């Protein structure tokens, strides 16, 4: 679907056949991180705008400036936009590109985790704190020490420990950190600095969070994603290897690490038995949607499991103007997930 010439798509027909409708239509929203706090659903999305930036493979056109929190009393109720929760102008260290956020709760306080480019053009991950799940959030003066790249997802385990999963290729800059420090060499291609196709793929990162959730409690570790033979997925395994959009959830005691394959547009998952992995590639949760990016979260609500995702159908295919949607997902008895088709074509 993303490779189609969008001029040939009949969006009125496509939207009628879509698995679900946008949760809100008065603004564009993307990258939904959904949580169930105190009996209510809170969605922490990117707030897409058209800032007039030219399209490029490093994602300059994703020039978002703020975050809005969307809340729902239950899965069937109206989605409410709670207004600006955090603006880039109120983040001392951040210059631009407020990309995919997440949030979590601890001891009655709410923490918004977000990536943005600093004044050197390097993506870092910051934290902002509020007494309310809908904000407004107050940003910490500095980004998290030792943070880099994009797409933080913060998972709370049953023992009360919190872990951040993060990383993203191309515009998300993960490939520039292969030596442990930022490679600022000029590069024309988003694929510069990536491993060769027959080398192991770049891996997402995981780090346990400090007690106050404002820092990493440890140096981030690579999260291994293995094939069925126990080998690391290769860089050229484009339909299965990690690209961006990390998420972690638990089901029946197993840990499910899910992610986007980026340029091949799948939301995939891999299963492990602890928060650090390794994880074994298991399958796809969502087939490609309209729009280049695919990004999601998985949230259990009242005994059912939901996939929050986005597509660009409302904007008629404009890559950086996306809309958040939700659909139920089902597990098979063996714990695998039934792949969702976003449109009944
Ligand atoms: O929204 C900007 C970027 O696009 C996100 O950080 C990626 O996951 C992709 O959805």
């Amino acid at each position: 679907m993303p490779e189609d010439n969008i001029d040939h798509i009949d969006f009125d027909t496509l939207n009628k056949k879509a698995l679900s409708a946008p949760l809100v239509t008065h603004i564009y929203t993307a990258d939904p991180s959904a949580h169930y706090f105190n009996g209510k659903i809170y969605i922490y999305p990117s707030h897409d705008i058209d800032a007039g930036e030219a399209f490029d493979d490093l994602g300059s056109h994703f020039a978002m400036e703020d975050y809005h929190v969307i809340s729902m009393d239950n899965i069937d109720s109206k989605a409410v936009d709670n207004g600006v929760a955090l603006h880039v102008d109120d983040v001392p260290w951040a210059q631009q590109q407020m990309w995919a956020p997440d949030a979590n709760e601890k001891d009655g306080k709410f923490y918004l985790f977000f990536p943005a480019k600093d004044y050197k053009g390097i993506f870092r991950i910051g934290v902002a704190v509020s007494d309310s799940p809908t904000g407004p959030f107050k940003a910490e003066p500095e980004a998290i020490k030792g943070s880099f790249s994009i797409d933080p997802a913060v998972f709370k385990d049953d023992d009360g420990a919190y872990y951040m999963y993060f990383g993203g290729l191309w515009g998300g800059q993960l490939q520039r950190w292969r030596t442990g420090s930022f490679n600022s060499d000029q590069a024309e291609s988003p694929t510069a600095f990536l491993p060769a196709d027959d080398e192991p793929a770049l891996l997402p990162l995981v780090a346990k969070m400090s007690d106050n959730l404002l820092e990493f409690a440890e140096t981030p570790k690579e999260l291994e994603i293995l094939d069925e033979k126990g080998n690391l997925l290769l860089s050229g395994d484009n339909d299965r290897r990690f690209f961006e959009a990390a998420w972690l959830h638990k089901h029946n005691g197993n840990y499910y690490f899910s992610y986007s394959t980026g340029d091949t547009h799948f939301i995939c998952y891999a299963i492990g038995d602890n928060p650090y992995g390794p994880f074994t590639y298991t399958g796809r949760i969502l087939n490609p949607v309209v729009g280049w990016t695919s990004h999601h979260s998985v949230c259990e609500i009242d005994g059912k499991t939901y996939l929050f995702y986005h597509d660009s159908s409302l904007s008629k295919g404009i890559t950086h103007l996306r809309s958040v949607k939700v659909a139920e997902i089902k597990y098979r008895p063996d714990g695998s997930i039934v792949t969702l088709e976003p449109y009944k074509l």
Side-chain angles (χ1 to χ4, degrees), residues 145-171:
K145 200 168 164 228
S147 70
F148 55 95
S149 198
I150 59 166
D151 291 3
V154 175
F155 162 74
K156 180 186 181 186
D157 208 347
D158 300 334
D159 63 0
Y162 292 76
Y163 300 87
M164 181 184 288
Y165 298 82
F166 64 94
L169 308 191
W170 295 20

Side-chain angles (χ1 to χ4, degrees), residues 78-94:
K78 188 172 149 41
V80 174
D81 172 5
N82 293 277
V84 177
L86 180 69
H87 194 281
V88 68
D89 291 348
D90 298 319
V91 183
W93 61 268

Side-chain angles (χ1 to χ4, degrees), residues 30-31 46 48 59 62 64 98-101 115 123 150-151 167 243-246 260 292-296 310 322:
D31 309 323
S46 299
D48 282 356
F62 293 104
M64 298 85 101
M98 304 285 266
W99 283 15
F123 266 114
I150 59 166
D151 291 3
F243 189 99
E244 62 187 3
S260 169
W292 197 93
T293 67
S294 196
H295 193 122
H296 72 299
H310 71 222
R322 301 160 292 178

